[in-house]
């Protein structure tokens, strides 16, 4: 059940996308998200879909695995669609009682749905093909200029990498505690909303305790290895751009240009 | 009330690159009242196996029967199964959550929908069974020592009055005294209440003194399944799969090779002592 959440999980395999510099992937994901909001016509989304399909194909991550994560945002997706469908003013199509579906609303709802699905797919593709360590390494490098403004870039990225690192561990822990409580007759799936919320107590209390215990242990282990923040810290594997990374940047720029140009030509 | 596993296979993360078989064609029959040791190296599939026995995991193929009924039938009542087949997980103290020990033990029977009086009676009995002192009943479980916490956790499962009790490495992380206490407690439960016990461990020395039957798991398959002394005869094969026979077996084997007329089948320290004394003509 918990295995279904793919957001923030790394899928181990070897592919061009996996071996790209994390900075490229971060920039690409950002560019892709921007492009989703720049694109405002059908052709734009077709291009975005093609781009996404190409990256998925190159990444060798089974599509089934990527879309499994979609189940978790299904509710959010539905909510967004419903709101857009009923609350966008414009030419009415159907009207039931106080609710009116407009042409614009229909278009907006479809667009938002596509945007959301692409956004989640794009960003989960990044986390699926990049290890958390790589990801935060990349982020740290990209944000380095902010140090000029006294932003603790290293500390932030360290916190992020620890948080990401612990997602699978806590997930596993949740699974284990859930099973242990189920073995004692706990029921997490049926009953009213209040009853179900209450049934989470036997799960959350041990989970929090274990999280604090792990945090404590980790802090000790880091101190035992003389960790004292980012100053003067060097990397074992510094990030260096290679040919394929430059090529990837080129592809991203081409993609962005294409999206923008398409928007201009049609409108 | 026996547990029967019929050609059970289980594959983790099926359809992904991480797919790997945790159980391969496992066939077992565990009759009522037996004290079984389930032994295997880390990752041999023993934890996965026991989760199949109370329906927490569903086999990819094959069937699990409890009391003659397939537990994975859609109309099978899993909750009542979990009351009958009690499972104590590894480090069970990590699942304690209530404000005091007594309430935590009440959690299991309460989930069974029993009346409050019955719940409290069972919790009291269970805590007594594990030898827990009255004075700690209303203390927070988080203030207790590791061994005491574990007793509370085991009581939490016992309070459901299981017919079969499965314990996953109940002695992990305890000091020698704590280990022996827990193992003696388990064997007492078996003798006095006649419940079936499946004890998961990777230490032969732990189980050799107590169990009637040993099942050895290796890479998802059942490697050996026999009485302890028969299993220990394969001590060389056991070593190959990263396990070892009890120390006693080695001593007796070497004595035997050195020409002393000792019985190499003995498994407990007590029997070995008598054998050796006999061989030296002192008994």
């Amino acid at each position: 059940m918990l295995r279904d959440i793919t957001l923030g999980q790394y899928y181990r395999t070897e592919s061009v996308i996996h071996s790209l510099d994390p900075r490229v992937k971060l920039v690409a994901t950002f560019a892709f998200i921007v492009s989703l909001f720049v694109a405002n016509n059908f052709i734009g989304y077709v291009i975005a879909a093609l781009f996404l399909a190409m990256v998925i194909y190159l990444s060798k991550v089974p599509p089934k695995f990527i879309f499994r994560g979609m189940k978790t945002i299904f509710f959010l997706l539905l909510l967004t669609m419903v709101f857009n469908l009923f609350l966008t003013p414009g030419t009415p199509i159907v009207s039931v009682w106080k609710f009116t579906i407009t042409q614009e609303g229909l278009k907006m709802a479809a667009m938002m749905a596509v945007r959301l699905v692409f956004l989640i797919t794009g960003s989960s593709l990044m986390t699926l093909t990049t290890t958390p360590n790589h990801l935060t390494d990349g982020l740290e490098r990209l944000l380095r200029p902010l140090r000029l403004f006294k932003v603790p870039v290293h500390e932030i990225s360290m916190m992020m990498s620890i948080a990401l690192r612990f997602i699978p561990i806590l997930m596993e822990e949740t699974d284990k505690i859930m099973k242990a409580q189920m073995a004692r007759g706990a029921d997490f799936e049926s009953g009213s909303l209040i009853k179900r919320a209450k049934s989470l107590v036997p799960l959350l209390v041990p989970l929090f305790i274990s999280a604090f215990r792990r945090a404590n242990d980790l802090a000790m282990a880091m101190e035992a290895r003389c960790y004292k923040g980012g100053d003067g810290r060097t990397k074992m594997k510094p990030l260096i751009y290679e040919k394929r990374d430059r090529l990837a940047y080129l592809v991203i720029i081409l993609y962005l240009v294409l999206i923008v140009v398409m928007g201009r030509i049609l409108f | 009330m026996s547990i029967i596993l019929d050609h059970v296979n289980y594959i983790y993360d099926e359809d992904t690159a991480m797919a790997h078989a945790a159980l391969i064609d496992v066939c077992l029959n565990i009759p009522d009242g037996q004290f079984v040791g389930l032994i295997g190296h880390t990752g041999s599939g023993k934890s996965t196996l026991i989760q199949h026995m109370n329906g927490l995991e569903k086999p990819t193929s094959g069937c699990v029967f409890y009391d003659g009924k397939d537990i994975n039938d859609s109309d099978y009542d899993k909750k009542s199964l979990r009351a009958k087949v009690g499972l104590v997980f590894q480090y069970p103290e990590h699942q304690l959550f209530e404000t005091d020990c007594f309430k935590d033990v009440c959690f299991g029977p309460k989930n069974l929908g029993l009346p409050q009086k019955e719940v409290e009676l069972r919790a009291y009995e269970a805590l007594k069974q594990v030898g827990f002192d009255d004075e700690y009943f209303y203390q927070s479980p988080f203030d207790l020592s590791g061994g005491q916490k574990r007793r509370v956790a085991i009581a939490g499962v016992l309070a459901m009055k299981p017919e079969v009790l499965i314990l996953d490495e109940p002695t992990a992380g305890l000091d020698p005294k704590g280990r022996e206490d827990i193992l003696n407690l388990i064997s007492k439960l078996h003798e006095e209440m006649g419940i079936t016990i499946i004890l998961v461990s990777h230490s032969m020395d732990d189980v050799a003194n107590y169990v009637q039957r040993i099942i050895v798991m290796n890479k998802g398959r059942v490697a050996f399944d026999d009485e302890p002394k028969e299993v220990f005869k394969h001590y060389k094969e056991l070593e190959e799969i990263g396990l070892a026979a009890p120390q006693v077996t080695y001593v007796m084997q070497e004595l035997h090779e050195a020409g002393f007329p000792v019985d190499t089948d003995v498994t407990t320290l007590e029997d070995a002592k008598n054998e050796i004394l006999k061989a030296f003509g002192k008994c």
Side-chain angles (χ1 to χ4, degrees):
Chain A
M1 52 199 110
L2 284 162
R3 288 168 182 279
D4 292 347
I5 304 168
T6 51
L7 210 71
Q9 253 185 356
Y10 180 62
Y11 185 89
R12 193 179 303 281
T13 182
E14 272 174 38
S15 78
V16 200
I17 305 293
H18 280 74
S19 59
L20 281 178
D21 191 291
R23 285 171 289 178
V24 180
K25 282 185 268 191
L26 277 164
V27 171
T29 310
F30 185 68
F32 183 68
I33 292 170
V34 169
S35 81
L36 288 179
F37 289 91
V38 170
N40 52 4
N41 54 47
F42 183 68
I43 307 268
Y45 288 117
V46 170
I47 297 170
L50 287 175
F51 181 72
L52 201 59
M54 180 191 80
V55 178
I56 291 175
Y57 173 74
L58 285 176
S59 73
K60 290 187 192 160
V61 179
K64 206 174 132 192
F65 205 82
I66 298 169
F67 293 113
R68 224 191 272 172
M70 212 62 78
K71 265 190 258 167
T72 50
I73 63 140
F74 181 73
F75 192 67
L76 180 76
L77 194 69
L78 208 70
L79 208 69
T80 325
M81 277 181 73
V82 168
F83 271 117
N84 274 302
L85 203 57
F86 291 111
L87 298 177
T88 316
T91 339
I93 308 174
V94 198
S95 188
V96 184
W97 188 45
K98 274 182 187 168
F99 301 103
T100 322
I101 300 178
T102 61
Q103 212 169 359
E104 284 80 3
L106 204 63
K107 208 176 138 195
M108 199 67 174
M111 205 150 84
M112 282 317 278
V114 171
R115 269 182 190 167
L116 256 177
V117 169
F118 279 14
L119 195 133
I120 297 292
T121 314
S123 38
S124 56
L125 199 60
M126 176 179 72
T127 51
L128 279 167
T129 59
T130 324
T131 60
N133 272 337
H134 253 116
L135 210 60
T136 43
D137 260 12
L139 206 66
E140 192 180 346
R141 278 301 296 273
L142 283 175
L143 297 179
R144 197 181 261 181
L146 289 180
R147 277 204 304 199
L148 288 175
F149 306 105
K150 300 261 189 256
V151 178
V153 173
H154 171 81
E155 279 69 19
I156 291 172
S157 78
M158 180 55 99
M159 282 193 290
M160 265 192 61
S161 93
I162 290 172
L164 284 173
R165 171 72 188 76
F166 273 77
I167 289 175
I169 290 184
L170 286 181
M171 211 102 95
E172 216 168 85
E173 192 95 4
T174 314
D175 206 43
K176 221 175 76 187
I177 298 170
M178 218 160 163
K179 275 184 182 161
Q181 305 297 27
M182 271 159 79
R184 292 165 77 190
D187 189 350
F188 295 106
E189 274 139 13
S190 59
S192 64
L193 203 63
I194 295 168
K195 205 178 146 215
R196 259 194 285 179
K198 265 191 185 160
S199 77
L200 284 180
V201 174
L203 175 64
L204 290 179
V205 173
L207 194 63
F208 268 95
I209 290 166
S210 119
F212 278 116
R213 192 180 54 234
R214 282 181 194 285
N216 213 356
D217 288 353
L218 184 71
M220 291 282 218
M222 281 166 81
E223 272 188 2
R225 289 165 204 184
C226 303
Y227 177 79
K228 54 173 180 51
D231 293 332
R233 205 176 158 78
T234 54
K235 292 252 184 273
M236 190 163 94
K237 288 177 187 156
L239 296 173
I240 296 159
Y241 282 127
E242 282 177 44
K243 199 179 157 195
R244 56 166 176 262
D245 300 316
R246 288 185 205 109
L247 206 69
Y249 272 129
L250 199 70
V251 174
I252 298 162
I253 292 167
L254 277 174
Y255 165 73
L256 275 181
V257 168
L258 205 62
I259 288 273
V260 174
V261 168
M262 277 304 166
R264 286 284 151 76
I265 287 175
L266 290 168
F267 293 94
Chain B
M1 248 65 84
S2 60
I3 299 175
I4 296 171
L5 280 83
D6 184 29
H7 297 280
V8 168
N9 284 286
Y10 186 72
I11 300 165
Y12 268 113
D13 292 318
E14 212 182 357
D15 305 325
T16 72
M18 285 92 87
H20 68 275
L23 293 177
I24 306 159
D25 200 33
V26 174
C27 296
L28 288 172
N29 181 0
I30 295 163
D32 214 11
Q34 211 171 36
F35 195 155
V36 184
L38 180 62
I39 302 208
H41 205 254
T42 314
S44 60
K46 50 190 186 337
S47 292
T48 313
L49 178 65
I50 55 172
Q51 287 178 23
H52 278 81
M53 292 179 183
N54 74 346
L56 282 173
E57 292 285 5
K58 211 178 158 187
T60 311
S61 70
C63 298
V64 181
F65 298 95
Y66 181 74
D67 205 4
K69 293 194 188 84
D70 188 337
I71 64 166
N72 291 305
D73 275 350
S74 52
D75 58 345
Y76 194 88
D77 182 8
K78 285 248 169 89
K79 212 165 175 175
S80 76
L81 171 77
R82 284 173 194 152
K84 286 182 211 144
V85 183
L87 175 54
V88 180
F89 273 78
Q90 213 170 352
Y91 296 107
E93 58 273 24
H94 290 178
Q95 50 177 280
L96 301 175
F97 67 97
E98 276 288 6
T99 44
D100 67 57
C101 298
F102 190 72
K103 269 194 212 156
D104 204 282
V105 177
C106 285
F107 181 67
K110 210 155 85 189
N111 283 329
L112 298 179
L114 298 166
Q116 185 64 18
K117 259 209 175 124
E118 171 79 10
V119 168
E120 282 174 12
L121 185 69
R122 281 189 177 201
Y124 180 79
E125 274 176 9
L127 278 166
K128 280 280 143 200
Q129 271 169 3
V130 298
F132 197 72
D133 277 338
D134 293 33
E135 54 178 310
Y136 299 129
F137 270 32
Y138 297 104
Q139 271 209 349
S140 162
F142 304 107
D143 293 338
L144 300 170
S145 71
Q148 294 292 342
K149 272 191 210 167
R150 196 158 297 181
R151 278 166 197 259
V152 175
I154 293 175
V157 174
L158 275 180
M160 299 174 74
K161 295 215 167 145
E163 292 159 355
V164 178
L165 183 64
I166 308 172
L167 300 110
D168 194 353
E169 307 226 7
T171 58
L174 291 183
D175 55 31
K177 171 86 168 58
R179 285 168 90 93
E180 210 179 298
D181 283 352
I182 294 280
L183 287 171
N184 284 336
L185 168 79
I186 294 165
S187 107
K188 202 181 83 195
L189 288 174
H190 176 245
E191 278 161 22
E192 287 175 6
M193 300 165 63
I195 52 181
T196 313
I197 296 206
I198 301 172
L199 181 61
V200 180
S201 177
H202 55 232
S203 157
M204 290 285 189
D205 283 294
D206 260 8
V207 300
N209 290 335
Y210 300 95
V211 303
Q212 301 162 329
R213 170 184 174 189
I214 287 182
I215 299 165
V216 179
M217 295 290 293
N218 183 36
K219 291 181 184 152
R221 291 175 198 275
V222 176
F224 301 103
D225 177 8
D226 216 327
E227 280 176 55
K229 62 176 189 195
E230 295 299 320
V231 171
F232 296 150
K233 276 184 185 156
H234 301 279
Y235 65 98
K236 290 207 170 101
E237 286 117 301
L238 286 174
E239 274 174 26
E240 275 165 29
I241 59 177
L243 296 165
Q247 307 271 332
V248 169
T249 307
Y250 290 100
V251 172
M252 298 315 262
Q253 288 285 354
E254 288 200 13
L255 280 172
H256 188 72
E257 273 166 40
F260 293 99
V262 290
D263 180 9
T264 52
D265 279 353
V266 297
T267 53
T268 64
L269 212 53
E270 194 60 30
D271 293 347
K273 186 187 83 184
N274 293 335
E275 267 303 308
I276 294 169
L277 283 174
K278 207 164 71 194
F280 284 96
K282 297 260 171 78
C283 193

